[in-house]
DNA sequence: GTCTAAATTGATAGAGGTTCTCAATTATTT
DNA sequence: AAATAATTGAGAACCTCTATCAATTTAGAC
């Protein structure tokens, strides 16, 4: 639960739309995308628009209050959980689950030192085929077919 | 340098366009996107189309010959370097450079075991502001301003 | 080499996902 | 309360990427 003072950073105004979007994200563990957030926000404020959702997600990410998760293909998803962790993305349905493992932040400083890049952070993302998406044959074999898979690094 | 036998996997035919796209990617270290690859491919075969580039990048990634890199915002970039490594993406210009560090592949098997997901792989991506994009003030301070940054996890 | 079947291409339209524009509204400062 | 600047809602626009389809090319059989 982020306090209002954090959200009222210089040059920013805390609107009810912004607060609503953050509350929705804080209440969920399924890493929703912009459209899913819009859908839930409309239950509270039917007039809210998609552009407002995108704009606020961007501002909240700038403020470091939420994280943007790339799913390689589909649109971005978002996460307001404050504890650092990794993600496991299904290559077929795009579903994102948490993996309770992360690298030390000292690694970021190390990369910054070696490259000269500023404000270095990192994202560790796993990709796989979730049990719901795997075929019966694949489950038996223990691995998904290469066909219709993609090899990713991102 | 990948051999033709690898590229002629079952149900696949090795066209000169496919080979050209792979050769271009193998010759570069700057992780180009589809448009940049198209541009260079046209120098050899002016009639080649963007759709062909996208289709072939997808097939080559399926074959495990190249990797797709997500840059969170801009389009995907691609990499044909065979040695596992991480990437450092500039938050402002999208430039991608290599970081000679990666996690053990045994971690993928561990995640697979714990989650039931099949064919698990991973991507470790660092984000930062490159020296070209940082302002003078930011360089002196040693960190980039929070404003117009995004906090990412993907 | 010739023939056949299937994969691939080029061209173009189309489908998301995300950003931009701008007048009207609202949050903060004085 | 008034002034100032950020934000909103609506919609058009944008960008990346995918789908479609007739024409072409590859790979394998003869
Ligand atoms: Zn799935
Ligand atoms: Zn998460
Ligand atoms: Zn840069
Ligand atoms: Zn690389």
């Amino acid at each position: 639960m982020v306090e209002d003072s954090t959200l009222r950073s210089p040059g920013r105004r805390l609107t009810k739309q912004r607060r609503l979007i953050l509350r929705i994200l804080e209440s969920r563990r399924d890493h929703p995308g912009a459209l899913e957030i819009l859908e839930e926000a409309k239950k509270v404020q039917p007039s809210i628009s998609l552009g407002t959702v995108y704009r606020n997600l961007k501002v909240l990410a700038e403020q470091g209050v939420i994280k943007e998760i790339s799913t390689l293909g589909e649109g971005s998803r978002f996460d307001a959980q404050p504890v650092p962790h990794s993600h496991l993305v299904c290559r077929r349905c795009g579903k994102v689950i948490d993996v309770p493992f992360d690298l030390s932040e000292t690694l970021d400083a190390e990369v910054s030192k070696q490259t000269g890049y500023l404000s270095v952070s990192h994202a560790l993302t796993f990709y796989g085929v979730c049990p719901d998406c795997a075929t019966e044959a694949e489950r038996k074999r223990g691995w998904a077919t290469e066909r219709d898979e993609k090899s990713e690094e991102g």
Side-chain angles (χ1 to χ4, degrees), chain A:
Chain A
M1 180 73 153
V2 178
E3 329 86 276
D4 286 3
S5 59
T6 306
L7 302 173
R8 271 188 264 263
S9 57
R12 292 295 177 195
R13 292 175 186 185
L14 180 51
T15 62
K16 53 167 143 346
Q17 289 90 340
R18 185 118 83 218
R19 211 193 315 252
L20 171 60
I21 288 163
L22 178 56
R23 290 290 131 75
I24 289 171
L25 206 47
E26 284 175 335
S27 75
R28 298 177 61 152
R29 289 278 158 99
D30 62 340
H31 313 88
L35 243 34
E36 293 164 282
I37 293 169
L38 174 68
E39 200 177 336
E40 192 164 337
K42 278 190 166 170
K43 293 176 187 167
V44 175
Q45 191 205 144
S47 69
I48 195 169
S49 80
L50 181 57
T52 296
V53 172
Y54 275 111
R55 272 182 309 233
N56 279 301
L57 287 170
K58 187 178 241 185
V59 171
L60 290 167
E62 276 172 25
Q63 293 177 324
V65 170
I66 67 172
K67 311 264 188 208
E68 182 177 357
I69 305 166
S70 114
T71 57
L72 206 52
E74 308 169 55
S76 288
R77 288 161 172 267
F78 298 86
D79 191 338
Q81 302 307 319
V83 179
H85 58 275
S86 303
H87 290 117
L88 173 52
V89 181
C90 176
R91 290 200 194 89
R92 293 192 179 153
C93 67
K95 186 170 64 184
V96 176
I97 68 173
D98 288 333
V99 177
F101 171 80
D102 194 36
L103 303 174
S104 159
E105 287 179 12
T106 62
L107 188 57
D108 296 336
E110 183 63 29
V111 168
S112 177
K113 194 175 176 182
Q114 285 181 19
T115 62
Y117 278 49
L118 302 180
S119 303
V120 174
S121 61
H122 70 265
L124 172 58
T125 309
F126 295 88
Y127 296 89
V129 176
C130 81
D132 292 342
C133 288
T135 66
E136 181 64 25
E138 287 170 337
R139 268 190 293 274
K140 275 188 181 147
R141 241 183 314 156
W143 43 272
T145 55
E146 184 184 83
R147 185 152 202 123
D148 84 351
E149 295 301 331
K150 50 180 143 181
S151 179
E152 74 300 291
E153 185 139 313

